[in-house]
Amino acid sequence: MTKAPLDLLLSEAPATRPTISLSEGSDPRVVAGALAARDAGIADLILVGSGDAVTAELQAQGASAGDGIAIHDPATSPLTADFAAAFHALRRHKGVDEDAARKAVETPLIYAAMLVREGHADGTVGGAVATTSDVVRTNLQVIGKVPDAAMVSSFFLMYPPQNAGGDARAMLYSDCGLVIDPTSDELAGIAAASAASCRALLQQEPKIAMLSFSTKGSARHEMVTKVTRALERLNADHPDLEADGELQFDTAFVPAIAASKAPGSNVAGQANVMIFPNLDAGNIAYKITQRLGGYTAIGPILQGLAKPANDLSRGCVVNDVTQMIAVTALQALAMQG
């Protein structure tokens, strides 16, 4: 069975541990998740926030800074002045003056992203307190997109329950959390980014299903046409990827149905990357898979940024934090080659 991110790192410990900045460094869940990640040896952590508050929470959990746990208080950090100058240069075209830049980088969310931008950390995680929109906007502004990425999108890693039989397998669902109604070109870009994410986090070769309510022309509609055009664009831009569509989910997932509905397809019945045509379909599908199918969902995970940055749910628990640190560490290691 495919290993979850934390288990992957535990079984294949990197020679050099990535450094991950956590923008909500005094939150009890974040501190506990960071300590678990440190103790497992998967990453070094920078807890960003009020120095007194972070120290107090570490002490409350029987720990202290040092040995893989650092505290950065943006109000007193020796890096803040340089970060302010860099942020001013980055955002002055948007009317951000020097004073506003200094105030911005003293906020933990922006400071944590600047640690990544300026090379002091390999990735960042936030969202236990901050909203998804704030996390995504900050990292888009500070870290920016991969130059050739169509857009920033998201995905969920879906892991089957223990002892699941039949056709159960680990999969990547995209986009289930961010892009509401992608165009054909954007859908192709999401698929290409998801293929790279599959290699990095599932450590499998991607087999991409471009999903629809139609299989191979069984229905005609502009929504179907969007998917077929996305496949054409994906094939043109990335002829090395194994992808097929348009496919209904059962055709993409079940070998027996694939043999009947899409004979000869190299993807149908064995897809591990499911690309949904819009956010309605993706968000509903991952929740049904999770709640009725018993799958574990990890995400939403961001893709398309120049360096790793990820969002936590405000309802996250400690294990969610540790798993997202592991996800971000794996993304960083993949980017380092």
Side-chain angles (χ1 to χ4, degrees):
M1 182 175 290
T2 304
K3 295 177 180 177
L6 178 58
D7 295 325
L8 273 176
L9 282 170
L10 289 175
S11 64
E12 303 175 15
T16 302
R17 297 189 299 196
T19 298
I20 308 300
S21 65
L22 302 170
S23 57
E24 292 141 340
S26 62
D27 185 280
R29 299 162 297 172
V30 171
V31 172
L35 290 171
R38 188 275 310 272
D39 292 345
I42 65 170
D44 292 331
L45 292 310
I46 299 174
L47 299 174
V48 179
S50 161
D52 290 343
V54 176
T55 298
E57 185 55 42
L58 280 168
Q59 290 175 345
Q61 297 194 30
S64 61
D67 190 25
I69 296 284
I71 299 172
H72 283 218
D73 185 337
T76 60
S77 170
L79 300 175
T80 298
D82 288 342
F83 285 2
F87 189 79
H88 176 240
L90 181 67
R91 301 296 296 169
R92 63 186 164 197
H93 72 288
K94 293 292 187 179
V96 175
D97 62 21
E98 291 180 359
D99 288 341
R102 175 76 188 206
K103 289 177 182 177
V105 300
E106 288 184 358
T107 63
L109 192 59
I110 293 176
Y111 182 96
M114 289 298 297
L115 282 169
V116 178
R117 180 182 176 86
E118 297 300 305
H120 299 278
D122 301 298
T124 186
V125 175
V129 178
T131 65
T132 293
S133 60
D134 284 342
V135 171
V136 174
R137 180 174 59 253
T138 294
N139 288 301
L140 265 174
Q141 290 176 351
V142 175
I143 296 174
K145 295 194 296 97
V146 175
D148 60 351
M151 64 196 324
V152 173
S153 58
S154 74
F155 62 93
F156 280 81
L157 296 174
M158 308 297 298
Y159 295 93
Q162 290 289 333
N163 303 317
D167 304 314
R169 57 184 174 272
M171 294 174 287
L172 187 152
Y173 281 18
S174 188
D175 184 340
C176 305
L178 195 59
V179 185
I180 294 174
D181 188 17
T183 65
S184 292
D185 286 352
E186 289 171 340
L187 206 56
I190 290 170
S194 298
S197 295
C198 177
R199 290 190 178 108
L201 297 176
L202 293 183
Q203 298 196 349
Q204 298 176 359
E205 280 303 303
K207 288 183 176 290
I208 304 165
M210 308 297 289
L211 297 176
S212 174
F213 62 84
S214 170
T215 293
K216 298 295 187 178
S218 64
R220 296 185 182 278
H221 190 275
E222 62 184 15
M223 292 175 67
V224 178
T225 301
K226 180 176 89 165
V227 174
T228 57
R229 287 177 176 168
L231 178 65
E232 291 170 0
R233 176 63 184 269
L234 180 64
N235 286 338
D237 291 349
H238 301 277
D240 57 310
L241 292 177
E242 289 190 282
D244 203 2
E246 83 283 12
L247 298 174
Q248 292 164 287
F249 186 91
D250 58 352
T251 308
F253 187 71
V254 183
I257 296 175
S260 172
K261 288 188 173 184
S265 172
N266 62 347
V267 168
Q270 50 188 323
N272 57 4
V273 177
M274 304 292 188
I275 304 299
F276 294 89
N278 56 41
L279 191 58
D280 273 338
N283 193 269
I284 291 167
Y286 104 77
K287 290 181 183 293
I288 289 174
T289 306
Q290 180 184 37
R291 300 302 177 184
L292 296 185
Y295 274 60
T296 297
I298 298 178
I301 300 164
L302 300 180
Q303 58 187 3
L305 289 164
K307 294 182 180 180
N310 282 304
D311 179 37
L312 294 163
S313 165
R314 281 174 285 173
C316 66
V317 296
V318 171
N319 185 60
D320 297 330
V321 177
T322 306
Q323 286 286 5
M324 196 59 78
I325 290 169
V327 164
T328 309
L330 283 171
Q331 289 177 315
L333 291 168
M335 286 185 177
Q336 292 167 8

